[in-house]
Amino acid sequence: MHGPILILGACGQIGTELTLALRERFGNNRVIASDIREGSELLMSSGPFELLDATQYEAMEKMAVKYNIEEAYLMAAMLSAKAEKFPDRAWHLNINSLFNLLNLARVKKVKKIFWPSSIAVFGPKTPKDCTPQTTIMDPTTVYGISKQTGERWCSYYFEKHGVDIRSLRYPGLISWRTPPGGGTTDYAIDIFHNAIRGKEYTCFLKEDTKLPMMYMDDAIRATISIMECDPHKIRERSSYNIAAMSFTPTELAQTIEGHIPDFKIKYKPDFRQAIADSWPNSIDDSMAREDWGWQYHYDLKKTTEEMLVNLRS
Ligand code: AKB
């Protein structure tokens, strides 16, 4: 039987879906959700919940001991657009929460940990197309700098302290259950909410801005799959590139128009354009495929269908 699992930042976009998926897989009571605020009705009613600030080491340690936690997922983070507005808060949250979890694993209070990185670790000098696993990384955003630093710490704790850390560089994630907040790729979700309400959408990125994206079900499957992988197969202890699809706002709008012919979009780029321009167009995930069998299931067409069906119901 699987030991108890702790989710830190369980009420956010990824945390909510991950908690629900793990509860379905291992049983509701084996997955302890925690966050600094309460989450959706479904999350709160489906299993244990604890108020917990991931930047507080003692509180995290107390929780690990209370539930005899075996593995923990740290999903609390401030995303790219918001982090540009609050650099100090972003650094504090993104780095100290990771440090706490790494230290908790170092003293063996948890056995295995997951921490998400992002395509934001790359920057303007990184090759844009089919960005390799190992390449130039010169992030120009607060969020990207925190993720790149985090990756180095993950690798360090694995090498020096034998911490069993697993990590993925998520692209923009598209989901319908929980709203995103503060990201640059959020347009790819907002657009669906406007489309189903028959509203014109004003996109904050330029029409030809191509970014790597993934449907949430694929991201959750990738996360669970790397956590279940035999440790000897994991060659990369900083973070793995993973990929599914890449598209521009125009391509997404055209796919939506295939279902909602009178859907309208206009473009009014803001400060998020500079963030998007510094990120890759597409990602080479061959190492994840080779090491632990990663393969996406959802392309743009299938993602669009799923988003429209679920948001309508
Ligand atoms: C963001 O837009 O900040 C995130 C990310 C790509 O990590 N979705």
Side-chain angles (χ1 to χ4, degrees):
M1 193 166 54
H2 202 290
I5 297 170
L6 176 63
I7 315 288
L8 300 142
C11 299
Q13 187 201 8
I14 316 173
T16 300
E17 306 243 7
L18 181 65
T19 304
L20 297 173
L22 289 170
R23 282 183 175 162
E24 201 173 312
R25 198 171 178 88
F26 299 115
N28 287 347
N29 290 329
R30 303 203 81 70
V31 183
I32 293 79
S34 75
D35 209 310
I36 50 165
R37 60 187 162 88
E38 295 194 348
S40 68
E41 167 62 30
L42 185 56
L43 181 107
M44 300 301 293
S45 61
S46 60
F49 176 82
E50 297 272 1
L51 282 173
L52 175 62
D53 178 352
T55 64
Q56 302 298 316
Y57 181 77
E58 278 79 24
M60 199 190 272
E61 186 185 32
K62 217 166 119 190
M63 208 58 68
V65 172
K66 176 175 172 188
Y67 289 99
N68 194 19
I69 295 296
E70 187 172 308
E71 59 187 54
Y73 295 71
L74 172 55
M75 310 317 281
M78 192 185 289
L79 299 186
S80 57
K82 193 167 172 195
E84 289 304 300
K85 299 202 163 133
F86 306 103
D88 300 20
R89 275 172 54 198
W91 184 257
H92 172 67
L93 172 61
N94 295 1
I95 291 297
N96 290 335
S97 59
L98 173 61
F99 244 126
N100 290 343
L101 188 60
L102 287 167
N103 284 324
L104 203 64
R106 181 170 63 86
V107 296
K108 312 272 181 255
K109 298 249 161 78
V110 289
K111 290 200 183 80
K112 203 197 287 184
I113 58 179
F114 178 85
W115 174 78
S117 186
S118 160
I119 54 160
V121 293
F122 300 116
K125 295 197 182 74
T126 303
K128 280 225 170 278
D129 295 309
C130 224
T131 301
Q133 172 69 38
T134 307
T135 184
I136 297 168
M137 292 162 90
D138 58 340
T140 49
T141 63
V142 173
Y143 175 66
I145 294 168
S146 75
K147 288 294 178 189
Q148 191 197 21
T149 307
E151 286 194 9
R152 300 322 321 144
W153 279 120
C154 290
S155 185
Y156 181 92
Y157 269 70
F158 171 72
E159 294 293 341
K160 301 274 178 203
H161 304 299
V163 166
D164 191 355
I165 165 82
R166 292 142 192 244
S167 175
L168 303 173
R169 290 176 183 148
Y170 289 137
L173 299 182
I174 304 175
S175 65
W176 53 270
R177 258 197 202 91
T178 315
T184 302
T185 57
D186 293 5
Y187 91 84
I189 299 175
D190 299 342
I191 193 171
F192 285 103
H193 287 273
N194 282 262
I196 57 153
R197 289 191 181 96
K199 281 168 64 181
E200 182 181 33
Y201 179 61
T202 306
C203 184
F204 56 76
L205 295 182
K206 284 196 249 166
E207 59 196 67
D208 57 353
T209 311
K210 191 171 193 166
L211 287 171
M213 301 277 185
M214 184 176 283
Y215 189 53
M216 185 60 86
D217 290 30
D218 271 341
I220 298 298
R221 205 167 40 78
T223 307
I224 296 176
S225 157
I226 194 174
M227 282 300 267
E228 290 185 346
C229 180
D230 175 346
H232 304 292
K233 290 192 179 156
I234 301 181
R235 283 184 292 161
E236 185 53 76
R237 292 294 183 154
S238 62
S239 193
Y240 276 94
N241 277 4
I242 50 165
M245 56 192 144
S246 284
F247 55 77
T248 64
T250 303
E251 285 162 349
L252 177 55
Q254 282 166 352
T255 314
I256 293 174
E257 272 165 39
H259 300 265
I260 306 174
D262 55 358
F263 173 62
K264 295 266 173 307
I265 183 165
K266 66 178 184 213
Y267 300 91
K268 206 170 163 222
D270 65 16
F271 73 100
R272 289 168 279 195
Q273 185 63 47
I275 302 177
D277 285 344
S278 75
W279 290 352
N281 296 333
S282 61
I283 298 287
D284 172 11
D285 62 358
S286 47
M287 194 172 181
R289 289 170 189 255
E290 280 162 28
D291 287 6
W292 44 276
W294 163 244
Q295 174 63 56
Y296 73 88
H297 290 169
Y298 291 85
D299 59 9
L300 175 55
K301 185 171 169 286
K302 209 165 151 194
T303 300
T304 304
E305 283 160 12
E306 287 289 312
M307 285 296 286
L308 292 175
V309 165
N310 286 298
L311 286 176
R312 277 181 175 136
S313 64

